[in-house]
Amino acid sequence: METVVEIELAVGEKLSVKRNRIMPLKAEDKGKRISIVSGIHGDELEGQYVCYEVARRVSEHPDKLHGIVDIYPALNPMGLETAQRFVPNLNVDMNSIFPGKKDGNMIERVAAAVVESIAGSDVCIDVHASDRSVKEIPQVRLSETFAQRLLPYAKLMNVDMIWMNATATVHESTLAYSMNLLGVPTLVVEMGLGMRITRSFGNQVTEGIFNLMKEIGIWSGEVKQTQFPVVSTDGEVEFIRAKEEGVFLPCIAHNHYVHEGDLIGQIVDSYTGKTKQEIRAKKDGLIFTLREYPLVYKGALLARILMDIEHM
Amino acid sequence: MFIREIYTMKTSFRQEMMIKGYSFGKGSKAACILGSSRGNEIQQMYVCSQLVRALKELEANNCINSNKEILVIPVINNTSMNEGKRFFGESNLDINRNFPGRENADAVSRIADGVFQVIKEYSYGMQFTSFYLQGEFVPHVRMMETGYQNASLANLFGLPYVLVKKPLPIDTATLNYNWQSEMTAAFSVYANQTERIDEDSARQAVAAVLRFLKRMGIIKYESHSGYISHVIMEEELCDVKAGTGGIFRRLVKTGEDVRYKAAMAEILDPYEGAVKEIITAPTDGIVFFSHTNPLIGQFDTAYQLIHRLHE
């Protein structure tokens, strides 16, 4: 275990970001490097399982490893330990301060040290979960700036979907943007739900990481058959939002195909027993996002449907 | 004066969230003043409440000039204030990082949009806001360098300092940035404190806004001329960082003039009480920002100095 950066907190503790560097057995295999990072947002735990699985499988078959695997499960250790999305005390979104500053404050220095540590990797995977409100299928999100360069890597990741969109997760001041700017192809993976681990999604993405490692020559072990993702832009996604405040009760399961008119869920009033809104699909498509946290204000995201895809 | 509903939002189990605006005078949308957008911005709300009081009196004495309307919104985020939280709701998002907002989006974005649609048409916009670090500033006017900023206008508040900041990508979602993009002359006013009320700096802030309104021909008001502001670029401020973590014992306060190598603070071992570090001034200057939390971590900003400026 190596310490990437260590900074003294106020009372009897050091903030420490660590990485586990797994080296190949043969010296001639040390040329290539993949970095797996997670835990920028302390309430996103899906990446913990992916990091564990990658470390476990590589360690079980060290002879199949032909490059360096760097694993950083906890970039925001205090956030993870306290289930807080932001950096505790500062209330700052760590993914909004990259590339950081070497002479900055505590979290800016952490960000700068992380960037310096990952720099030089042949590829980097930044594993996120969704927030606590909505559940997502495994997907790679690409910023349009780097989409063409990253698309070949993203297609290897065994995700259900590649979403080229304009969300903050892939934009300036994020780790992914900074690393891509430095020439390290960096993919943002989103899946599952905040505060939870969805093992099936984790296994799927882990398989994708090994597939990618095999493709770039870092791994020669077994890789199961992977799938081709749907490549989507914002235009093919229907956002369904609450028109009333209340309690949302889903009527379908996440990651299912719906037809136009199908009932997706209801918003109900727990005082009166009345249904305030019935939410129906306006088009055929895959429910790739579905609300899990039931209380909603008007405008809250309830579901996203990926349209214009074949029902498998 | 009349009270306007700026934005309302229903909730499932609480009273409807209502953002109230206090309107003075009639006619062209001259100036808009905004208070707390975060739940811990008590001083910001307090300053606005005192402004409402002062403008009420001025209006009663026919001191709002004709064809000039002033809107004051003391509180945007009252729900978080009642919860004792800085950010909004279960999503814990910062309303002031969600401008200009969107009508068809989640709650925070809708609130920002609802407010922004009303306030974007005013010629002058003033927001009382706070910094993410806990501490106190000398009272100043802050503005983003968007290309539309006007530091000369900011001078008319008569506060000691005007600070111009180069926006980072994250700043492009603040109200100040978006207000300027809509061609409102926008200013963020920092009134020393956040979570507690400081009467002196609140009085100074109220006076600064009234002075500005007078100078822009919006109100009739006799006021002291205030300061001829010193304009600073944010990157010119000298950061003084803690070299170690511990208990922070402040030896100098904001606004004080310090000399090179003068002791500014002590950091004590939190277990044994001994002085671990004496923070000294890296340059002559005036203390612009001071950390006030009794605890400090390594590399936290203890002070910001205005380099080589003297009282």
Side-chain angles (χ1 to χ4, degrees):
Chain A
M1 206 69 61
E2 299 170 14
T3 300
V4 174
V5 59
E6 196 162 72
I7 291 174
E8 189 183 7
L9 298 172
V11 186
E13 183 187 355
K14 284 182 179 166
L15 174 88
S16 180
V17 174
K18 295 188 185 298
R19 80 172 173 198
N20 180 18
R21 169 161 282 190
I22 307 174
M23 298 292 283
L25 295 178
K26 294 177 188 165
E28 63 267 27
D29 280 339
K30 288 175 186 164
K32 290 202 167 171
R33 173 153 72 109
I34 185 170
S35 292
I36 319 287
V37 306
S38 196
I40 289 181
H41 294 134
D43 60 350
E44 299 178 5
L45 304 176
E46 300 277 7
Q48 300 307 308
Y49 181 70
V50 172
C51 288
Y52 155 75
E53 265 301 285
V54 171
R56 185 187 67 79
R57 283 174 61 172
V58 168
S59 304
E60 274 181 8
H61 302 283
D63 54 314
K64 309 288 185 195
L65 185 64
H66 306 290
I68 298 168
V69 178
D70 281 336
I71 297 177
Y72 306 72
L75 294 192
N76 173 10
M78 288 206 293
L80 282 163
E81 292 273 356
T82 53
Q84 292 183 60
R85 182 172 183 79
F86 297 155
V87 179
N89 243 334
L90 296 175
N91 241 331
V92 168
D93 181 353
M94 189 178 180
N95 216 17
S96 69
I97 48 126
F98 285 99
K101 270 196 219 167
K102 278 187 178 174
D103 60 349
N105 63 25
M106 178 265 274
I107 200 64
E108 288 169 335
R109 285 177 196 238
V110 170
V114 166
V115 167
E116 191 178 356
S117 171
I118 298 170
S121 300
D122 292 275
V123 64
C124 173
I125 313 292
D126 179 12
V127 186
H128 288 253
S130 178
D131 60 20
R132 280 175 275 193
S133 302
V134 295
K135 191 169 191 177
E136 301 276 6
I137 58 173
Q139 57 200 270
V140 172
R141 291 189 180 171
L142 302 180
S143 105
E144 284 165 5
T145 317
F146 304 108
Q148 289 316 310
R149 183 170 177 226
L150 297 178
L151 201 53
Y153 294 98
K155 284 180 176 173
L156 298 166
M157 283 294 293
N158 198 32
V159 290
D160 296 329
M161 174 184 174
I162 296 171
W163 190 3
M164 291 193 274
N165 76 344
T167 64
T169 48
V170 287
H171 268 204
E172 288 180 58
S173 301
T174 62
L175 173 68
Y177 193 92
S178 295
M179 296 320 304
N180 279 310
L181 216 55
L182 287 173
V184 178
T186 300
L187 303 174
V188 176
V189 175
E190 290 265 354
M191 63 174 156
L193 186 66
M195 312 278 279
R196 295 284 180 274
I197 285 176
T198 316
R199 221 161 153 149
S200 58
F201 289 168
N203 286 331
Q204 185 181 336
V205 167
T206 303
E207 209 57 51
I209 290 172
F210 278 95
N211 189 39
L212 173 61
M213 283 165 56
K214 192 160 196 170
E215 190 67 26
I216 63 174
I218 290 181
W219 182 249
S220 62
E222 189 195 348
V223 176
K224 289 178 193 153
Q225 193 174 358
T226 55
Q227 61 180 8
F228 293 104
V230 175
V231 181
S232 169
T233 60
D234 285 343
E236 294 144 356
V237 174
E238 188 196 354
F239 286 67
I240 300 175
R241 294 188 178 278
K243 290 187 175 145
E244 300 282 346
E245 71 291 341
V247 178
F248 175 67
L249 303 175
C251 298
I252 45 142
H254 178 236
N255 201 10
H256 273 67
Y257 196 86
V258 290
H259 295 285
E260 185 181 342
D262 283 355
L263 187 63
I264 292 172
Q266 301 163 298
I267 294 176
V268 301
D269 184 327
S270 49
Y271 284 114
T272 63
K274 287 186 178 159
T275 299
K276 300 177 85 174
Q277 188 193 347
E278 278 195 344
I279 301 106
R280 292 185 182 276
K282 287 184 183 160
K283 289 187 177 173
D284 297 355
L286 178 75
I287 298 277
F288 75 94
T289 305
L290 186 64
R291 187 162 194 92
E292 288 276 336
Y293 182 72
L295 283 191
V296 292
Y297 293 115
K298 186 178 172 185
L301 181 65
L302 302 178
R304 283 188 280 229
I305 300 181
L306 182 59
M307 298 174 299
D308 302 327
I309 58 162
E310 299 267 326
H311 183 194
M312 305 298 280
Chain B
M1 180 196 85
F2 74 96
I3 301 173
R4 290 170 60 181
E5 267 185 25
I6 303 295
Y7 187 76
T8 58
M9 192 177 71
K10 288 182 183 167
T11 68
S12 295
F13 304 115
R14 292 170 67 172
Q15 205 170 7
E16 180 179 75
M17 177 188 185
M18 187 201 289
I19 300 172
K20 289 192 281 189
Y22 292 78
S23 189
F24 303 90
K26 284 180 185 163
S28 68
K29 294 179 187 306
C32 176
I33 301 138
L34 233 73
S36 61
S37 60
R38 293 151 178 153
N40 66 339
E41 291 180 343
I42 313 298
Q43 170 86 342
Q44 290 67 18
M45 174 179 68
Y46 179 69
V47 171
C48 275
S49 71
Q50 295 307 303
L51 262 172
V52 168
R53 212 174 140 195
L55 287 168
K56 220 168 165 177
E57 202 177 311
L58 286 168
E59 190 176 47
N61 293 325
N62 293 319
C63 291
I64 311 285
N65 287 334
S66 63
N67 196 30
K68 301 287 181 194
E69 191 234 322
I70 305 162
L71 176 67
V72 184
I73 305 175
V75 183
I76 294 179
N77 187 1
N78 70 314
T79 61
S80 297
M81 285 195 150
N82 293 328
E83 294 157 8
K85 275 176 64 193
R86 182 165 164 85
F87 297 145
F88 182 84
E90 176 270 336
S91 57
N92 201 33
L93 292 175
D94 185 358
I95 296 173
N96 199 32
R97 298 272 179 208
N98 274 279
F99 283 98
R102 282 187 298 134
E103 189 187 358
N104 186 21
D106 60 21
V108 166
S109 194
R110 292 172 87 93
I111 294 167
D113 172 71
V115 172
F116 196 63
Q117 291 308 317
V118 174
I119 66 174
K120 69 180 185 183
E121 289 168 9
Y122 286 80
S123 301
Y124 303 105
M126 288 148 257
Q127 182 189 17
F128 288 94
T129 188
S130 64
F131 201 51
Y132 76 100
L133 295 176
Q134 278 187 33
E136 61 183 36
F137 284 103
V138 286
H140 68 282
V141 178
R142 186 177 284 235
M143 54 207 311
M144 301 269 184
E145 193 180 71
T146 57
Y148 304 119
Q149 84 283 358
N150 189 336
S152 311
L153 266 185
N155 252 307
L156 301 181
F157 285 88
L159 286 175
Y161 303 99
V162 171
L163 185 129
V164 182
K165 173 186 167 59
K166 280 194 169 56
L168 299 169
I170 192 177
D171 295 320
T172 58
T174 60
L175 173 59
N176 187 297
Y177 187 93
N178 285 281
W179 235 349
Q180 285 193 47
S181 301
E182 289 289 332
M183 306 311 289
T184 293
F187 311 97
S188 299
V189 185
Y190 283 73
N192 193 301
Q193 288 293 329
T194 301
E195 294 181 358
R196 68 178 183 85
I197 291 169
D198 179 300
E199 294 281 0
D200 289 343
S201 74
R203 261 196 304 277
Q204 194 178 12
V206 170
V209 171
L210 294 177
R211 187 181 297 125
F212 182 85
L213 295 176
K214 178 211 167 185
R215 287 172 171 173
M216 300 320 298
I218 298 168
I219 60 170
K220 296 182 194 78
Y221 181 68
E222 285 309 314
S223 67
H224 185 274
S225 302
Y227 292 87
I228 298 170
S229 307
H230 189 84
V231 180
I232 322 156
M233 300 301 292
E234 191 186 43
E235 63 267 24
E236 292 167 6
L237 290 174
C238 175
D239 273 1
V240 186
K241 298 208 182 292
T244 181
I247 293 171
F248 182 69
R249 182 185 280 161
R250 195 161 76 134
L251 301 178
V252 294
K253 292 180 180 164
T254 49
E256 280 189 41
D257 191 340
V258 294
R259 295 287 164 164
Y260 174 59
K261 285 195 173 172
M264 297 185 76
E266 292 172 343
I267 299 179
L268 312 183
D269 185 301
Y271 296 91
E272 299 174 15
V275 175
K276 289 171 78 181
E277 182 189 350
I278 297 172
I279 297 178
T280 57
T283 176
D284 289 359
I286 286 176
V287 179
F288 185 76
F289 168 80
S290 165
H291 179 94
T292 51
N293 191 322
L295 297 179
I296 196 162
Q298 188 183 19
F299 305 130
D300 282 352
T301 301
Y303 295 100
Q304 286 182 313
L305 290 178
I306 308 170
H307 186 48
R308 286 187 188 157
L309 188 76
H310 303 293
E311 281 182 307

